[in-house]
Amino acid sequence: MEGNRSRVTEFVLLGFRLSPETEVLLFWVFSLLYTVGLLANGLILLLICLDRRLHTPMYFFLSHLAVLDMSYASSYVPKMLANLVTHTRTISFVPCIMQTFFYLGLAATECLILVTMSYDRYVAICHPLQYTVIMSWSVCTGLAATSWSWGFSLNALIPVMLLLRLPFCGPQEVNHFFCELLSVLKLACADTWLNKVVIFAASVFFLVGPLCLTLVSYVHILWAILKIQSGEGRRKAFSTCSSHLCVVGLFFGIAMMVYMAPDSSQGEEKEKILSLFYGLFNPVLNPLIYSLRNAQVKDALCKVLQVRFR
């Protein structure tokens, strides 16, 4: 029986299965969001590079977040947009596996960068006098390097290597708009229990663990904020951290719904919609919440515009 099986060389991405008119409308909406996300994050990177006042640990991590958001969106959104207008929904096996590898690695790295940013805010608010010593550039570089290396080695390389050992002999239809790991795994014609165990373990390590650490950081931050005497100081500190906490809650909450909730055939369409958050909405929200509403970033933008049009 094994010898009669022909290996799959390409997959078909089913996407949302909507009418042609609706897909054209989604193409323009998604293209707008994708472009805005790239421009906003690119602007943040440019401002951080050009303005020395933004050469601080907080903006160092924000620059990594901007790179992650642009890279994550670019790993599958262009192919999704092409599928909406050309209706050639096929993707070869190797590009599909590469898509899976990059989205897993980038997503896990963002989880670790977010928890690192919460630690940075914890040190800044709870230990302001020791901030420059604790968050030295060597520490910041080490935290960022660890986030990238762990994200790609533990959450991307291992699951993809386990995926490659499986035979795919049909059907070829991936019920998603990109090569999402769980959707591809359903097409394997072999036992996938080990893959599912590794995915669950990685979800605990990269989702539950960082989320718990982030919540612990913000409990300490909230306690420190309540001790601030001045009302204006309390409002400023709470505004800075509450926005961060909202994005963290959305990011981790949606990922846990997708990868840790029980399997459900009715939930597949909902998971597609939830997945759009990471490629389209998250890259737009992060610059608005973390950076563009920040007074230092606004000052840097005004300074750049004044120099440009002087």
Side-chain angles (χ1 to χ4, degrees):
M1 288 295 292
E2 196 71 33
N4 294 330
R5 289 176 174 175
S6 58
R7 292 185 66 85
V8 168
T9 58
E10 65 179 19
F11 295 106
V12 178
L13 301 172
L14 295 180
F16 289 106
R17 294 188 255 189
L18 301 169
S19 66
E21 295 79 11
T22 306
E23 289 189 339
V24 170
L25 175 62
L26 287 179
F27 169 80
W28 290 110
V29 173
F30 291 168
S31 296
L32 177 62
L33 288 171
Y34 177 59
T35 304
V36 170
L38 289 183
L39 291 175
N41 284 285
L43 177 62
I44 296 303
L45 278 176
L46 180 66
L47 293 176
I48 292 173
C49 291
L50 293 178
D51 198 314
R52 294 183 61 85
R53 293 174 299 174
L54 302 183
H55 293 179
T56 63
M58 183 177 78
Y59 291 103
F60 172 74
F61 294 123
L62 280 173
S63 68
H64 283 268
L65 191 65
V67 171
L68 284 164
D69 283 339
M70 289 191 293
S71 302
Y72 188 90
S74 299
S75 69
Y76 72 82
V77 171
K79 177 63 176 174
M80 179 184 70
L81 294 175
N83 289 346
L84 286 172
V85 290
T86 63
H87 304 290
T88 55
R89 302 179 184 275
T90 58
I91 182 170
S92 300
F93 184 80
V94 173
C96 181
I97 295 301
M98 293 302 294
Q99 198 178 69
T100 302
F101 174 81
F102 281 110
Y103 103 80
L104 286 174
L106 291 165
T109 303
E110 183 155 347
C111 289
L112 297 178
I113 288 293
L114 285 172
V115 76
T116 302
M117 290 171 62
S118 70
Y119 175 70
D120 172 70
R121 291 299 84 205
Y122 160 74
V123 176
I125 292 174
C126 298
H127 304 282
L129 299 180
Q130 292 85 34
Y131 180 73
T132 54
V133 176
I134 297 174
M135 299 303 294
S136 64
W137 282 113
S138 59
V139 170
C140 293
T141 304
L143 289 171
T146 301
S147 298
W148 283 90
S149 59
W150 284 14
F152 275 90
S153 61
L154 299 179
N155 196 60
L157 186 61
I158 294 175
V160 166
M161 292 297 289
L162 291 174
L163 186 67
L164 288 172
R165 61 183 268 280
L166 297 172
F168 292 90
C169 42
Q172 300 170 274
E173 295 179 337
V174 178
N175 190 17
H176 218 291
F177 49 80
F178 72 106
C179 290
E180 193 271 331
L181 179 60
L182 294 177
S183 300
V184 175
L185 205 57
K186 291 176 182 177
L187 305 183
C189 43
D191 190 6
T192 60
W193 72 270
L194 180 59
N195 301 71
K196 291 177 180 177
V197 168
V198 169
I199 291 170
F200 186 80
S203 299
V204 172
F205 184 82
F206 285 100
L207 295 175
V208 179
L211 180 59
C212 290
L213 290 173
T214 301
L215 291 176
V216 169
S217 296
Y218 277 96
V219 167
H220 285 89
I221 288 170
L222 181 60
W223 186 249
I225 289 173
L226 293 175
K227 291 181 179 179
I228 297 175
Q229 297 297 323
S230 110
E232 185 179 347
R234 263 200 308 271
R235 280 193 301 273
K236 184 177 178 182
F238 187 76
S239 173
T240 301
C241 297
S242 60
S243 57
H244 183 191
L245 201 54
C246 288
V247 173
V248 167
L250 279 171
F251 188 91
F252 285 103
I254 291 174
M256 290 169 76
M257 288 172 65
V258 172
Y259 288 100
M260 301 190 73
D263 287 339
S264 168
S265 57
Q266 287 121 5
E268 289 182 345
E269 296 303 313
K270 292 179 183 177
E271 288 177 6
K272 293 180 193 177
I273 297 171
L274 292 175
S275 298
L276 288 173
F277 171 80
Y278 296 106
L280 294 173
F281 298 103
N282 199 49
V284 175
L285 283 175
N286 282 344
L288 291 174
I289 290 177
Y290 287 124
S291 303
L292 295 178
R293 47 176 275 187
N294 187 297
Q296 286 180 302
V297 174
K298 289 178 182 177
D299 290 343
L301 179 59
C302 291
K303 183 179 176 182
V304 169
L305 292 176
Q306 286 172 0
V307 171
R308 174 70 178 81
F309 294 105
R310 181 172 295 172

